[in-house]
Amino acid sequence: MTAYVAEGARRGGVGRALYGALIKILTRQGFHSAYAGIALPNDASVALHEAVGFEALGIYREVGFKHGRWHDVGWWRRALAQAATPSEPVRFSELDL
């Protein structure tokens, strides 16, 4: 999934609200972790991800081409469910959203 917040709507809680809903759905579906890739540099996106519980994993150097140049892509992880044995994800149609 990729989400971009319009420039005029940034710093108003939209990104945090989107992640709140996504994390709730992924957790209810039984996923163990969520991962995020961020084209760097992007201090605002890094701050958002870390504010909602993501932790830095590492960086892939020059793997993303955006706006006419190569970018490093940083990877972050957020723990979700702590199930001992994984099960099949719950279908969206079975969730009470």
Side-chain angles (χ1 to χ4, degrees):
M1 178 186 117
T2 300
Y4 293 96
V5 176
E7 194 167 333
R10 292 181 187 156
R11 304 209 44 90
V14 174
R16 191 179 291 256
L18 287 171
Y19 256 120
L22 177 62
I23 289 166
K24 182 177 178 180
I25 289 168
L26 293 176
T27 301
R28 288 179 60 197
Q29 287 184 286
F31 286 98
H32 179 70
S33 299
Y35 295 89
I38 303 170
L40 302 174
N42 191 335
D43 294 340
S45 186
V46 169
L48 168 65
H49 285 82
E50 292 181 352
V52 297
F54 283 81
E55 296 179 347
L57 293 174
I59 298 173
Y60 289 173
R61 302 288 178 198
E62 298 182 359
V63 298
F65 193 80
K66 182 176 173 181
H67 303 299
R69 67 183 188 98
W70 289 101
H71 291 267
D72 295 344
V73 175
W75 290 97
W76 277 256
R77 173 188 179 267
R78 186 189 193 282
L80 298 171
Q82 297 299 321
T85 304
S87 58
E88 289 294 317
V90 177
R91 296 176 186 273
F92 279 112
S93 60
E94 295 172 13
L95 292 175
D96 180 27
L97 298 177

